[in-house]
Amino acid sequence: FGCPRAATVMATKACQLWCLDRYAYRGVVSQIRFNNRREKLTLLTCNEIAQILDKTTIEDLSLTLKPDKFFPGDVILREGEDNYTTYFIRSGIVEKRRRESDG
């Protein structure tokens, strides 16, 4: 959208297309962004992190959250490994396991 077309497209047989104009597209994308931002802010403000961070910092953090998916059996974090990522559970269930200590 907003750029000259890179190619000419012609029908070679009778066809039907779905059409989406730029204004409708922008409206949908804006609504999705708004809903995602609201969801992230809600998640962060309902978390323990909200007790130690100010509102501006929480809003800044909400802009940096990226979605990630895991499936049953996937290891998200492994005990003892260095990890520089924090996860907030958006949906689903996770299980925390600890190795038994010797002694």
Side-chain angles (χ1 to χ4, degrees), residues 32-42 58-60 62-63:
I32 290 169
R33 286 182 179 153
F34 175 80
N35 291 343
N36 284 340
R37 183 167 160 77
R38 185 176 55 201
E39 178 187 358
K40 291 174 185 180
L41 282 170
T42 300
I58 291 171
E59 288 175 357
D60 291 344
S62 76
L63 297 173

Side-chain angles (χ1 to χ4, degrees), residues 38-77:
R38 185 176 55 201
E39 178 187 358
K40 291 174 185 180
L41 282 170
T42 300
L43 178 69
L44 290 173
T45 55
C46 294
N47 197 286
E48 293 174 6
I49 199 167
Q51 296 173 11
I52 58 173
L53 300 176
D54 61 69
K55 183 178 178 180
T56 302
T57 304
I58 291 171
E59 288 175 357
D60 291 344
L61 279 176
S62 76
L63 297 173
T64 64
L65 289 176
K66 304 287 183 226
D68 208 346
K69 286 186 178 182
F70 295 91
F71 299 94
D74 288 352
V75 175
I76 300 168
L77 302 169

